[in-house]
Amino acid sequence: VGKDFFGDNYIQNFKDNGVHTDFVGQTSDAATGAASIIVNDAGENVIVIVAGANLLLGSEELQDALPAVSRAKVLVCQLEISPQTSLSALRMAQENKVKTIFNPAPAISDLDPDFYRVSDVFCCNESEAELLTGSSVTNVEEAHRAGKELLKRGCGSVIITLGSQGCVVLKAQESTPKHVPTTAITAVDTTGAGDSFIGALAFFMANYPTMPLEEMVHRANQVAGVSVQAVGTQASYPFKKDLPAELFK
């Protein structure tokens, strides 16, 4: 993050919420990454991202974090930092038998093919799946087709999130795609729903390693469903105490 008001606030917010900050660095060479978000009356959003200091995260910082990465249960990466840094981190995790989740967001059309091979779970939404496969993804059937194409590229499993239509889950060792529906809710603000889903998925993978992937997806959907009923991004994420106890059984 930058050595600025936003950077200071970020670090303090992490500390206030019990998030480990030993590997968060501050730089004078760029401003803290920021996102400008517009939400319409249906709760749908458009986001403009200015990466700033995010793009300065590189191999040196990764090497510093290697002891922590190698001891982790799950590593989550996406594309709000340099793609090559994310790819290096995923390779590092794989070499150390750490489970990997890759979320190709914001999506890029020229994604390095190695990303598929280092993803135990490759998780994208319908628009990201469409950009990566070149085919329309607007419903469950089309998501099945796109998921099969992504799986062929070398992922361990693929999840395509479809908002109110739930998710489609495909696994390399199983021939049949599975549709995981979601409960109908009234969305107030969908900003951060994807991150809420990914965070919950990582939690279930780390804490319930023998749980079937479809069940993890079902539970992560419920967490994301709670988040879209509140305004804001991080501010909309529920704490464990605010969620149904059966999610953790």
Side-chain angles (χ1 to χ4, degrees):
V1 295
K3 280 189 179 166
D4 49 32
F5 172 79
F6 293 112
D8 294 342
N9 267 20
Y10 249 108
I11 292 171
Q12 191 55 52
N13 184 42
F14 286 146
K15 287 178 176 170
D16 291 347
N17 285 286
V19 177
H20 196 277
T21 58
D22 286 12
F23 300 105
V24 180
Q26 281 188 286
T27 179
S28 305
D29 297 335
T32 299
S36 178
I37 303 165
I38 299 163
V39 182
N40 69 12
D41 290 341
E44 295 161 334
N45 65 76
V46 175
I47 305 175
V48 177
I49 292 169
V50 181
N54 287 25
L55 296 182
L56 298 181
L57 187 75
S59 53
E60 195 177 314
E61 288 79 15
L62 268 190
Q63 282 308 312
D64 289 345
L66 177 58
V69 173
S70 61
R71 288 196 310 272
K73 291 178 181 173
V74 178
L75 178 81
V76 180
C77 286
Q78 33 76 309
L79 296 173
E80 286 176 334
I81 61 171
S82 151
Q84 280 311 117
T85 304
S86 271
L87 187 54
S88 299
L90 289 164
R91 285 180 179 138
M92 186 187 278
Q94 202 174 50
E95 284 160 12
N96 286 280
K97 307 281 187 292
V98 176
K99 290 284 181 206
T100 58
I101 300 174
F102 177 57
N103 174 219
I108 50 174
S109 53
D110 58 341
L111 189 69
D112 188 316
D114 280 358
F115 271 109
Y116 301 103
R117 295 188 275 274
V118 290
S119 300
D120 289 313
V121 177
F122 188 94
C123 182
C124 57
N125 66 20
E126 60 268 66
S127 61
E128 291 151 4
E130 194 165 304
L131 184 73
L132 294 167
T133 63
S135 16
S136 168
V137 182
T138 58
N139 56 40
V140 172
E141 198 176 314
E142 289 177 347
H144 281 170
R145 280 200 294 272
K148 282 179 178 173
E149 168 56 36
L150 294 171
L151 205 55
K152 276 196 293 197
R153 297 177 187 179
C155 321
S157 55
V158 172
I159 300 166
I160 299 180
T161 59
L162 297 163
S164 60
Q165 296 180 73
C167 300
V168 165
V169 180
L170 300 94
K171 291 187 274 193
Q173 68 274 30
E174 290 180 14
S175 55
T176 318
K178 292 196 170 68
H179 175 224
V180 181
T182 189
T183 313
I185 49 158
T186 303
V188 174
D189 182 353
T190 57
T191 317
D195 292 336
S196 175
F197 178 88
I198 297 272
L201 179 67
F203 169 85
F204 291 118
M205 281 177 64
N207 291 282
Y208 300 85
T210 59
M211 184 183 283
L213 184 59
E214 303 83 71
E215 180 59 26
M216 293 185 198
V217 165
H218 172 65
R219 295 185 187 200
N221 250 342
Q222 288 178 261
V223 176
V226 173
S227 81
V228 300
Q229 294 177 71
V231 174
T233 307
Q234 289 183 32
S236 73
Y237 297 153
F239 287 93
K240 186 176 179 180
K241 64 179 173 54
D242 305 319
L243 292 164
E246 59 263 26
L247 282 183
F248 307 100
K249 286 176 182 165

